[in-house]
């Protein structure tokens, strides 16, 4: 007899097909997601904002916001500790794109996505999901973490590049 359970006072009895699907999914091998923090789940965005707001005002708030946005937006693929997933998603530590003196390519990749390297999975663009301020915070976090030592990215830089990208798309 299939398993049954109650949710909100309603007895639910899954069909055998549903139980088979669950068994199949559980049998799949999953790459270890070491360093993953539960904050990568988008539904915890409010918690992340509260955590960020509680940081002190000596630049730590900005760093915390960038880290929290990275965790909620990027770490599902690149991992919270930036180890990446070999053969799927690269580490950003030491990346020439991340550490370039001019952050334009990094900003464009975050805005438009990236699918130019066959050894890695496609990265979606986040232009429709993230504000200029949020992209600047993520890019700055990436440029100052995991041994990277590049300059901060400003909201104005992101805005300028977003406008350029949008103008290219409408022409």
């Amino acid at each position: 007899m299939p398993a049954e359970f109650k949710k909100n006072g309603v007895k639910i009895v899954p069909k055998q097909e549903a139980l088979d699907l669950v068994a199949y999914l559980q049998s799949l091998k999953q790459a270890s997601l070491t360093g993953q923090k539960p904050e990568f789940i988008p539904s915890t965005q409010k918690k992340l904002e509260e955590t960020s707001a509680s940081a002190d005002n000596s630049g730590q708030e900005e760093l915390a916001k960038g880290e929290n946005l990275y965790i909620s937006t990027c770490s599902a693929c690149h991992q919270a500790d930036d180890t990446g997933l070999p053969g799927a998603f690269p580490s950003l530590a030491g990346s020439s794109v991340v550490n370039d003196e001019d952050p334009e390519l990094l900003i464009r990749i975050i805005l438009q996505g990236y699918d130019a390297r066959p050894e890695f999975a496609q990265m979606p663009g986040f232009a429709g999901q993230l504000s200029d301020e949020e992209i600047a915070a993520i890019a700055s976090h990436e440029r100052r973490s995991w041994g990277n030592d590049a300059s901060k990215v400003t909201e104005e830089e992101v805005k300028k590049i977003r406008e350029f990208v949008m103008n290219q798309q409408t022409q």
Side-chain angles (χ1 to χ4, degrees), residues 116-162:
R117 293 183 61 185
E119 69 269 29
F120 294 118
Q122 179 179 358
M123 179 181 151
F126 291 92
Q129 299 169 343
L130 298 172
S131 70
D132 295 341
E133 178 187 14
E134 291 169 325
I135 290 174
I138 289 170
S140 293
H141 170 70
E142 292 172 351
R143 289 168 60 87
R144 295 195 243 165
S145 299
W146 315 298
N148 294 333
D149 188 26
S151 63
K152 172 184 163 186
V153 173
T154 66
E155 184 177 348
E156 292 75 28
E157 288 174 299
V158 176
K159 181 179 180 181
K160 179 180 165 188
I161 294 168
R162 184 191 297 262

Side-chain angles (χ1 to χ4, degrees), residues 8-171:
N8 299 330
V10 176
K11 184 167 82 169
I12 298 173
V13 180
K15 292 183 178 180
Q16 187 60 45
E17 292 88 1
L19 294 171
D20 293 343
L21 177 60
V22 169
Y24 167 73
L25 292 173
Q26 289 175 333
S27 74
L28 295 175
K29 299 289 183 217
Q30 171 65 50
S32 174
L33 300 177
T34 59
Q36 198 66 277
K37 296 181 183 178
E39 291 88 3
F40 81 93
I41 301 169
S43 65
T44 62
Q45 186 63 33
K46 183 176 180 183
K47 178 182 172 190
L48 296 174
E49 290 168 359
E50 291 168 358
T51 302
S52 181
S54 68
D56 69 53
N57 293 328
S58 64
Q60 292 300 92
E61 181 177 333
E62 185 179 324
L63 290 173
K65 181 174 185 174
E67 179 181 19
N68 287 334
L69 284 165
Y70 172 86
I71 290 168
S72 67
T73 309
C74 313
S75 71
C77 297
H78 294 286
Q79 305 300 289
D81 62 356
D82 185 52
T83 55
L85 288 175
F89 305 105
S91 167
L92 302 174
S95 164
S96 60
V97 171
V98 174
N99 287 294
D100 195 307
E101 185 177 319
D102 181 357
E104 180 178 355
L105 181 56
L106 174 62
I107 294 167
R108 288 180 69 130
I109 289 171
I110 296 170
L111 287 167
Q112 297 177 289
Y114 192 73
D115 190 23
R117 293 183 61 185
E119 69 269 29
F120 294 118
Q122 179 179 358
M123 179 181 151
F126 291 92
Q129 299 169 343
L130 298 172
S131 70
D132 295 341
E133 178 187 14
E134 291 169 325
I135 290 174
I138 289 170
S140 293
H141 170 70
E142 292 172 351
R143 289 168 60 87
R144 295 195 243 165
S145 299
W146 315 298
N148 294 333
D149 188 26
S151 63
K152 172 184 163 186
V153 173
T154 66
E155 184 177 348
E156 292 75 28
E157 288 174 299
V158 176
K159 181 179 180 181
K160 179 180 165 188
I161 294 168
R162 184 191 297 262
E163 287 172 358
F164 177 77
V165 166
M166 297 307 289
N167 285 338
Q168 277 189 322
Q169 291 174 350
T170 59
Q171 293 179 357

